[in-house]
Structures are given as C-alpha cells and as structure tokens.
Amino acid sequence: MSYCNIHVLSMNNLSEDARRYALENLNETDENRRYCLENIRLWLQNDVPWIKGRSEDKYILPFLRGCKFNLTKTKMKLKNYYMMKRDRPEWFSNRNPLLPEIQALVKLGAFVPLKHTQDNKMVIIIRTAAHDPKIHTWNDVFKVGKMILDVACQEIVNAQIFGVIAIFDMTGMGFTHYKSMTPTLIKNVVFAWRNYHVRPKQLEYINSPTYINIALRIFKSFMTEKMRGRVKVHFGGVEEAQTIVAKDILPVEYGGSGESLNNLSQFWVEQLLKYRDWFAEDEFYKAEQTEASSIMN
C-alpha cells in the first residue's frame, strides 16, 4: 500500500518501483519513450489529419504505456479513443462540473477513486446502483465516471503504469437498473474499457445478486479473452471488498479505516471543479465527422 501525491506526479519523477515496473513490464526506457512519443506526434500530424488529437507527452504517454510501447497497437487505440469521443457525445460533450446532474452523481459516490493504492494500482469503487434510474440515466453515470477517471489518471500517474482495480458494488442493483442497460450500451461500455488511457487490471464484483452471471454473460461477449480473465464475482456482502484490497485503505462503509465515501465524493467534486476549463477545452479533441466511418453502433 502507498499514498498517492494527488497533486504533482509526472513521468519525470516516477518512484523507483514505477520506473522498474515500466522498464520490466511496459518496455519503457528513456530512449524508447522519446522515439515513440515523436513517432506518435508525427503520425497524428501527417497520417491521420482527421483526428484532432492531443500532441503533448502527458496525453500520449498513457496510451503508449497501456500498449507496452507497441506503436501499432497504440495507434489503433488512439484512433478508437478519438472516434469514441466523436461518436459518444452523451459521454464526452457538455462536461461542465457545475451541471446539477453531474454534481449530484459525484456527491452520490457513484464512482469513487480512493486516495491510496493497492500494490501500486489505483482502486476505484463503482457503486452501480447508487443512482435512481428514474432520475439519472446510465449515460449520465458513465459520463461522470469518465470525467473522474480523466482527472484521476492525470493526477495519479501510477494508474497509467500499474493499472486500476475496479470494485463494482452491486448493492441495490435491481430490475429498474438492468432494464435500461441494452446490449448496445454494454458493447459501448466494454469498448471504452478497452480503448481508454488506463488499463483495468481487476474487475471485481461484490455483493453480487445470484442472477449476475446472466448480465455478465452479455458483458463478457464483448470482452477479449484477457479481459474476461480479469473478472471475478464475489457473492458475499460489502465486506468482500476486504478480500480485494487492504482494510486500512477502504472507506468506513466497507468496514475499512480509510476516508468515508462522503469525504471522498466531496474531494472529487472539488477536483472536477479545478478541471472545469480543461473539460471545456478537451471537447475539441476528437475525430472529425467528415472522415473515417464510425466503428461504433
């Protein structure tokens, strides 16, 4: 377990553990990093002008790390990512942290990264039924989750290198939540997991209803074999979270001694507000409508 400096972490001041892991597992060396970053910049500029992509190191590097510095895979992931930003305006447009529906979902604790890591991985608690489906749509929930993830992964560089442990708390998940989760929506969610700028290393489902495998069967149908192998279902209560991460980093609501969900949610409200201008600017970066057919339904 380690505590993340939530404010100043960059590729230039990685911990020794992060440097060693990046070298041994991601093929990241100073020379390889420089070469690949320049290669991607030139590719964005010359080969895919229909993609309005960010060219700064800090935005390219997470994709390179996620693809272990394989340029072919990185370029495909970047294409998919920017096309997704074009094709999913319900997730990637009008991302103003002051909007009431966004504020409400963040405060509900629907998507809560913890401030401590487990084995250097960022831990996120996703409370799948924290929202009232009569008030908030799944698209609003996913929009907020991606907003928080965008901020968290910029602030916590370990997430780029070691990946993420996602704990899906299924407490309260019922028919009213499931009925609006269509196969197309599930396909798009899994596509986002595969093409985002951070790698999900563990997908842990806790407090799972007995019928969860029916729903997961649809999710898994869109997953790669590797991703399917990262899914684990726990049928106990919320205390099952303690079998996944250390008790002392978990919120008190999960029997831990860490910060409460309420405090963590308020923290992320404040973090999103700091990025208000960045969210507005980020809407510019996406594939253009006039080039390349959509790869998503």
Side-chain angles (χ1 to χ4, degrees), residues 4 20 23 46 57 84 113 133 142 150 154 160 166 181 203 248 289:
C4 288
R20 183 167 51 252
L23 173 63
N46 299 323
D57 290 359
M84 174 174 62
F142 297 139
D150 282 347
Q154 290 187 60
Q160 302 174 17
M181 188 169 280
L203 302 171
D248 57 351
Q289 293 285 356

Side-chain angles (χ1 to χ4, degrees), residues 35 40 49 62-63 200 280:
Y35 172 78
I40 294 295
F63 289 94

Side-chain angles (χ1 to χ4, degrees), residues 77-94:
K77 182 172 281 195
L78 281 165
K79 279 185 182 180
N80 288 343
Y81 173 75
Y82 284 114
M83 292 173 78
M84 174 174 62
K85 288 190 70 181
R86 176 194 68 191
D87 295 340
R88 298 274 76 82
E90 63 272 25
W91 295 352
F92 294 102
S93 66
N94 201 21

Side-chain angles (χ1 to χ4, degrees), residues 1-246:
M1 182 189 75
S2 60
Y3 185 73
C4 288
N5 181 337
I6 207 74
H7 299 294
V8 185
L9 279 176
S10 73
M11 68 178 183
N12 296 319
N13 61 355
L14 297 178
S15 68
E16 185 58 35
D17 283 349
R19 288 181 186 277
R20 183 167 51 252
Y21 185 92
L23 173 63
E24 295 175 356
N25 297 277
L26 307 181
N27 305 309
E28 181 172 352
T29 64
D30 289 341
E31 181 179 2
N32 200 26
R33 185 194 306 122
R34 284 192 297 269
Y35 172 78
C36 290
L37 285 168
E38 186 60 22
N39 185 289
I40 294 295
R41 268 192 291 271
L42 291 172
W43 172 76
L44 285 169
Q45 178 181 333
N46 299 323
D47 296 349
V48 285
W50 51 274
I51 291 179
K52 297 177 180 177
R54 289 186 176 272
S55 60
E56 302 98 313
D57 290 359
K58 70 176 183 178
Y59 296 117
I60 299 174
L61 193 54
F63 289 94
L64 284 167
R65 286 170 169 160
C67 296
K68 299 184 178 181
F69 285 79
N70 180 308
L71 285 170
T72 300
K73 291 181 179 179
T74 301
K75 290 171 184 178
M76 179 58 69
K77 182 172 281 195
L78 281 165
K79 279 185 182 180
N80 288 343
Y81 173 75
Y82 284 114
M83 292 173 78
M84 174 174 62
K85 288 190 70 181
R86 176 194 68 191
D87 295 340
R88 298 274 76 82
E90 63 272 25
W91 295 352
F92 294 102
S93 66
N94 201 21
R95 300 205 297 172
N96 183 347
L98 289 174
L99 288 173
E101 62 270 25
I102 291 175
Q103 289 259 318
L105 284 166
V106 180
K107 290 176 181 177
L108 277 174
F111 192 96
V112 185
L114 306 186
K115 291 185 184 179
H116 295 75
T117 60
Q118 174 73 28
D119 300 327
N120 288 310
K121 300 180 185 73
M122 182 164 70
V123 180
I124 303 172
I125 294 178
I126 301 167
R127 301 169 66 226
T128 57
H131 68 287
D132 183 343
K134 296 178 182 177
I135 300 174
H136 300 287
T137 68
W138 278 117
N139 282 325
D140 281 342
V141 173
F142 297 139
K143 178 178 182 176
V144 166
K146 283 165 179 54
M147 289 176 68
I148 295 174
L149 190 60
D150 282 347
V151 172
C153 290
Q154 290 187 60
E155 298 287 340
I156 307 173
V157 76
N158 272 2
Q160 302 174 17
I161 297 171
F162 296 96
V164 168
I165 298 172
I167 300 176
F168 296 86
D169 181 359
M170 307 295 286
T171 302
M173 192 75 174
F175 177 72
T176 54
H177 292 91
Y178 277 117
K179 70 178 182 180
S180 56
M181 188 169 280
T182 65
T184 297
L185 181 60
I186 292 172
K187 178 182 178 181
N188 291 338
V189 170
V190 175
F191 183 91
W193 289 350
R194 292 173 54 191
N195 291 284
Y196 227 67
H197 44 65
V198 64
R199 294 176 300 156
K201 300 294 287 184
Q202 294 173 235
L203 302 171
E204 308 271 355
Y205 291 78
I206 65 170
N207 201 41
S208 305
T210 55
Y211 52 83
I212 189 175
N213 285 324
I214 298 173
L216 278 181
R217 194 174 298 123
I218 303 175
F219 273 93
K220 287 182 176 181
S221 70
F222 299 116
M223 293 179 179
T224 62
E225 183 177 355
K226 179 183 287 187
M227 184 175 284
R228 287 195 294 270
R230 294 173 178 173
V231 174
K232 186 174 182 181
V233 177
H234 307 261
F235 290 101
V238 293
E239 68 278 359
E240 287 290 318
Q242 298 171 28
T243 68
I244 303 165
V245 299

